[in-house]
Amino acid sequence: MDFGSFLAAPEIKVKVITYRDIFQDKAMLENRFGEEYRNLSAVIKLDPADLKQLSVKKGETVILKNSFGRVVVKAEESGYETPHKGIAYMPKSPWSNMLVSDETGGTGVPKFKDISVTVTSAKGENVTELNF
Amino acid sequence: MEKNYYVCTGCGLLCDDIEVESEKDKVNKVYTACRIGVAHMKETRGEAKFLVDNKPVDEATAINEAASILKNARNPLIFGLGTSTNETQKIAIELAKKINATLDDPSSFCLGPLAEALIQDKLKTCTLDDVRNKADVIIYWGTDPSDSHPRQLSKHSYFPRGSEKQRGWEEERTAIAIDVRKSHTAKICGNYFFQIPPKGDTEFIDALIAGLSGKLPKTSYNYPPKKILELANILKGAKFGVIFVGRGLIYSLENLEPLFKLMKILNEKANFHLIPMIGNYNTMGFNENLFAETGYVNSVKFENGTVKHGPEYSIVESLKAKTVDAAIIIGSDPLSILPRSIAKNMLEIPVISLDHCETLTSKHAKVYVNTAISGVESGGTAIRMDGVKVNFEPVIETNNPSDEVILKKIMEAL
Amino acid sequence: MTNAMELYQMLPKTNCKKCGKTSCMAFAVALMARELTPEDCPPLKEESKYKENYEKISEIFKPSEGATETGLIVHEELCFGCGNCVVACPPNVANDPYGVGSGNAPKNVNKLVLTIEDGVVKAQNLEECRRFGKNKILCNGCIVTCPVEAIEFV
Ligand code: SF4
């Protein structure tokens, strides 16, 4: 049964893999509170099939949520040739860090690369501002 | 005519062949550096010089306020220093001793365990120059240097001619990428890109070890055994192999054991070295300097002449458990780089931020000092990610004090 | 990327010599060298059954903006400034083995095809490029080493 179709807005679960992006790092050096850095950071790259299931077009915003936080970021298509439904990619940034668990098992090392979130359409809500 | 080359402190590679056209206090043009290096050299700074409670003050007021925060703290945290010189780091260690501080740097949640193993000679390593001169098999594992250390492939590993590698990369070198996604580096590696599922590294190592020992390589995710055997064969034939290890690999391992095992067998069958892909220009320096002083590379707590060590003294655990009651952050931005669920606890304690740019951390700091851009406006020495010491001069002038000067003044004021 | 063989496949393959060359293959080579243009093959230009191929070939050789003598264009906005192309470029290596050929800053700037300026690759001295002139080789050293597609030959 496809539960998504019963809800007002379809919701999917994805695992997020973070990565470094040279242009995003460059933008941070130039101005970490600037628009370019935000545009290159507050992004999630999804499989086209996931986008379709969410009925979200690329470039529209989505809500990423888990028990540690909630952020609104722009959804993009990943562009990878191999399909990766259920896995999404985000550049490492304060936005991805809003979703990282505080559970460390006492090791001192957060699970930066092990992020699970639900994704739903943000219905036009703006990208989360960098703030505390 | 000998040219005057500068060192770029934009990343852990510390490229030492950068030409710059500059005026007194402004970089106009940069040659040979990558995009990151150029952005770093041309970084601009905010107007503010010294702030207390986000209001402009003079230097003395800022220093005194900082000193009083540290004096009143029972267990202050000193953190950052990845983009500070060895000289600054040594002063920070002195300061930590003097005020019985908890001292840590980002390596505690990055590649610290690897740096420790290398400093203790538990893994065979070599310099980037050795790689350029000799390496025939190069593995990028859980790292994408094209984005994080852009000149790594061109200056040090895959493409340059070296003393024993005169015929060029197509003929004499094999570059291999092992990663969970097809990074830009993986793209360059072409057919030698091995894509594994997230958290699949430990199993992949086991399978590779099996392959190296002539057994059938098996993984729960059914990686084609033929491909693993093919990889094992390339590795066996290496005369001078090197594995560049990034956080992608380290985060996916429970501990370093699998890596030790892999390196052991690789060195029985061939000749392999390991180099960590350290991001900040002097994290290795911090690890070495602290090790020389205490026998530990990070996460320490000084207490009346003794030193304690353990994950509970890392920034993450000490913020989480709220064991620190003040913090001085040097050239780092924990509010951006840590999970928000943990970093938020920093808002509850007085923070001193030394940085050349405004950050989330500086905006929420009680005291902020706008320091010189380390490596651009101030010089010193640093340890490259392969352990080589590098000396550098400032590229341009500034009136802003270096973090070294400010730390010294805070020490005096205490 | 196009090579002479692919071009040949799109030509009439009749070896009519109306272009002044001895064969269609020779014409393809002349096209690649930019010695002749697609219009120099009368059947290709005039006969309707070649219309589609004529358009395709013309598209390839359309004088494009920013293209240099060898057809090399740099998409500056994509470039990482990593220098892979600078170090891998064969004439660069031959002309400056201990500078760029060894991964270092250039020592012999006047002979280099590719260098990095302000974090972006710059092409110059194109007479040194292996794709230049009559005896060109379809070298792709700078293309296959690029992490993105920042260099293109048109
Ligand atoms: S690779 Fe690193 S050290 Fe070299 S120029 Fe780029 S940022 Fe600077």
Side-chain angles (χ1 to χ4, degrees):
Chain A
M1 187 170 62
D2 181 11
F3 241 107
S5 55
F6 284 82
L7 298 165
E11 181 179 291
I12 60 166
K13 279 197 165 67
V14 296
K15 266 197 176 309
V16 177
I17 293 176
T18 58
Y19 64 95
R20 298 256 316 249
D21 168 56
I22 183 170
F23 289 101
Q24 183 221 6
D25 279 351
K26 167 197 150 275
M28 184 186 80
L29 290 169
E30 285 166 0
N31 180 6
R32 58 174 72 213
F33 296 106
E35 206 175 306
E36 191 183 348
Y37 182 57
R38 187 178 59 222
N39 286 341
L40 293 172
S41 301
V43 175
I44 186 161
K45 299 196 170 182
L46 293 156
D47 189 279
D50 283 337
L51 275 175
K52 203 169 158 215
Q53 192 174 348
L54 288 168
S55 33
V56 165
K57 290 198 207 61
K58 47 186 178 187
E60 293 178 353
T61 53
V62 288
I63 301 167
L64 309 181
K65 219 164 107 181
N66 61 18
S67 50
F68 311 102
R70 173 193 188 272
V71 278
V72 178
V73 299
K74 211 163 57 197
E76 300 278 7
E77 236 172 63
S78 73
Y80 291 121
E81 304 123 39
T82 22
H84 53 86
K85 214 170 163 328
I87 292 183
Y89 302 88
M90 266 181 104
K92 182 170 76 86
S93 78
W95 284 269
S96 67
N97 280 334
M98 291 185 208
L99 302 164
V100 179
S101 156
D102 63 353
E103 198 35 70
T104 59
T107 58
V109 189
K111 298 193 169 73
F112 285 106
K113 296 215 180 221
D114 189 2
I115 308 174
S116 297
V117 295
T118 60
V119 191
T120 48
S121 163
K123 301 195 185 97
E125 190 180 333
N126 285 338
V127 163
T128 307
E129 291 287 328
L130 190 51
N131 227 320
F132 243 94
Chain B
M1 191 183 71
E2 258 310 294
K3 285 192 175 143
N4 191 11
Y5 291 120
Y6 289 100
V7 171
C8 172
T9 48
C11 79
L13 286 183
L14 290 166
C15 294
D16 57 1
D17 57 350
I18 312 299
E19 256 182 272
V20 176
E21 281 170 21
S22 62
E23 287 157 49
K24 207 166 145 295
D25 58 355
K26 190 167 170 278
V27 170
N28 291 326
K29 200 155 192 154
V30 184
Y31 296 91
T32 310
C34 71
R35 257 210 211 251
I36 296 290
V38 172
H40 169 60
M41 292 237 182
K42 293 188 174 178
E43 261 182 272
T44 48
R45 56 171 67 258
E47 286 295 301
K49 293 228 147 174
F50 302 94
L51 301 177
V52 170
D53 290 323
N54 280 318
K55 284 186 204 72
V57 295
D58 61 7
E59 180 179 309
T61 312
I63 300 279
N64 286 333
E65 182 65 31
S68 93
I69 291 173
L70 296 176
K71 212 181 294 169
N72 291 329
R74 195 181 24 80
N75 181 18
L77 167 71
I78 303 181
F79 177 81
L81 297 158
T83 54
S84 300
T85 59
N86 288 332
E87 294 70 31
T88 309
Q89 292 171 349
K90 285 177 187 160
I91 296 170
I93 298 173
E94 282 319 302
L95 176 65
K97 282 188 188 163
K98 186 165 175 169
I99 59 177
N100 286 331
T102 294
L103 173 61
D104 192 26
D105 84 319
S107 73
S108 68
F109 55 86
C110 295
L111 299 175
L114 208 49
E116 184 175 11
L118 287 163
I119 292 172
Q120 295 177 339
D121 275 333
K122 288 187 185 158
L123 286 165
K124 186 156 137 188
T125 187
C126 65
T127 66
L128 291 168
D129 308 280
D130 295 332
V131 176
R132 174 171 54 244
N133 287 330
K134 301 181 199 162
D136 54 356
V137 176
I138 303 156
I139 304 178
Y140 308 102
W141 199 325
T143 177
D144 174 22
S146 296
D147 281 83
S148 61
H149 300 66
R151 291 184 69 206
Q152 210 265 18
L153 276 72
S154 69
K155 188 167 163 61
H156 296 290
S157 59
Y158 193 19
F159 298 119
R161 311 275 161 141
S163 59
E164 293 172 34
K165 287 280 164 278
Q166 294 284 326
R167 276 180 293 136
W169 58 281
E170 303 106 309
E171 281 181 53
E172 292 189 296
R173 302 200 209 257
T174 307
I176 296 160
I178 305 173
D179 210 333
V180 295
R181 67 180 188 101
K182 189 169 178 184
S183 66
H184 290 117
T185 306
K187 175 180 174 279
I188 293 173
C189 294
N191 288 334
Y192 295 118
F193 166 45
F194 296 80
Q195 182 161 11
I196 56 176
K199 300 231 131 208
D201 299 75
T202 309
E203 271 194 63
F204 196 79
I205 291 179
D206 286 341
L208 192 53
I209 291 175
L212 286 163
S213 340
K215 291 184 209 127
L216 188 68
K218 273 188 260 168
T219 54
S220 66
Y221 43 84
N222 294 323
Y223 203 92
K226 224 180 111 200
K227 275 212 86 182
I228 299 182
L229 286 172
E230 191 191 313
L231 175 61
N233 267 334
I234 298 172
L235 305 193
K236 267 193 220 165
K239 296 210 170 54
F240 194 105
V242 58
I243 310 181
F244 290 104
V245 174
R247 285 194 280 180
L249 173 55
I250 294 303
Y251 284 161
S252 130
L253 302 178
E254 292 280 320
N255 54 49
L256 293 185
E257 247 349 280
L259 208 48
F260 287 135
K261 275 198 279 176
L262 178 64
M263 283 296 282
K264 184 161 171 279
I265 183 158
L266 281 174
N267 277 303
E268 284 162 17
K269 311 270 175 194
N271 174 25
F272 262 88
H273 310 78
L274 186 149
I275 297 180
M277 292 295 295
I278 291 174
N280 285 338
Y281 88 76
N282 202 22
T283 295
M284 203 43 151
F286 180 86
N287 294 146
E288 286 196 6
N289 290 323
L290 189 63
F291 188 83
E293 192 68 34
T294 65
Y296 308 110
V297 299
N298 55 34
S299 310
V300 295
K301 156 85 180 154
F302 291 96
E303 215 161 69
N304 311 321
T306 65
V307 53
K308 296 193 276 186
H309 163 76
E312 62 273 35
Y313 305 114
S314 66
I315 181 166
V316 166
E317 300 303 336
S318 42
L319 283 179
K320 215 182 134 183
K322 303 191 185 184
T323 50
V324 287
D325 54 355
I328 173 163
I329 309 293
I330 303 141
S332 183
D333 184 11
L335 289 187
S336 291
I337 64 174
L338 288 182
R340 179 161 292 229
S341 51
I342 292 166
K344 66 177 193 318
N345 290 355
M346 223 172 75
L347 301 176
E348 295 169 20
I349 58 175
V351 171
I352 304 154
S353 160
L354 313 187
D355 215 315
H356 63 264
C357 58
E358 266 188 62
T359 63
L360 276 180
T361 302
S362 81
K363 285 190 175 186
H364 289 274
K366 177 104 181 133
V367 180
Y368 169 61
V369 179
N370 192 331
T371 48
I373 306 173
S374 189
V376 180
E377 297 175 330
S378 62
T381 61
I383 310 289
R384 204 165 68 176
M385 62 183 208
D386 58 347
V388 171
K389 189 166 171 180
V390 179
N391 231 313
F392 52 89
E393 300 290 325
V395 185
I396 48 173
E397 295 171 17
T398 181
N399 293 324
N400 289 49
S402 67
D403 48 5
E404 184 181 350
V405 168
I406 295 296
L407 284 182
K408 274 191 193 147
K409 289 191 174 166
I410 293 176
M411 284 270 260
E412 280 161 25
L414 277 163
Chain C
M1 289 312 116
T2 321
N3 60 37
M5 200 58 212
E6 280 170 35
L7 282 177
Y8 172 73
Q9 298 298 348
M10 289 192 267
L11 295 175
K13 291 187 249 181
T14 53
N15 298 336
C16 72
K17 305 193 180 70
K18 284 188 192 148
C19 59
K21 291 281 162 189
T22 52
S23 67
C24 290
M25 191 62 208
F27 178 73
V29 172
L31 268 183
M32 284 308 291
R34 287 183 167 62
E35 225 175 79
L36 295 178
T37 62
E39 293 101 79
D40 294 325
C41 169
L44 181 68
K45 192 177 167 194
E46 283 146 25
E47 289 176 34
S48 60
K49 61 180 169 190
Y50 300 126
K51 188 166 177 276
E52 202 181 312
N53 283 354
Y54 177 59
E55 278 166 9
K56 257 196 218 155
I57 296 176
S58 300
E59 181 62 24
I60 295 170
F61 290 98
K62 163 180 91 186
S64 77
E65 234 177 285
T68 50
E69 298 97 291
T70 59
L72 184 154
I73 27 177
V74 173
H75 298 284
E76 295 196 358
E77 72 290 356
L78 296 178
C79 178
F80 284 21
C82 64
N84 290 357
C85 57
V86 175
V87 179
C89 167
N92 266 18
V93 176
N95 291 331
D96 192 10
Y98 297 103
V100 294
S102 301
N104 293 317
K107 293 201 199 317
N108 186 14
V109 170
N110 302 332
K111 288 236 157 195
L112 297 180
V113 181
L114 301 166
T115 54
I116 303 288
E117 242 180 74
D118 270 336
V120 176
V121 65
K122 196 180 135 207
Q124 66 264 299
N125 304 318
L126 285 157
E127 67 286 355
E128 296 289 330
C129 173
R130 296 214 284 179
R131 286 186 180 238
F132 183 84
K134 269 198 155 149
N135 299 319
K136 60 162 60 190
I137 304 173
L138 285 181
C139 173
N140 60 2
C142 52
I143 298 169
V144 295
T145 54
C146 183
V148 277
E149 264 98 40
I151 294 186
E152 198 186 349
F153 285 96
V154 291

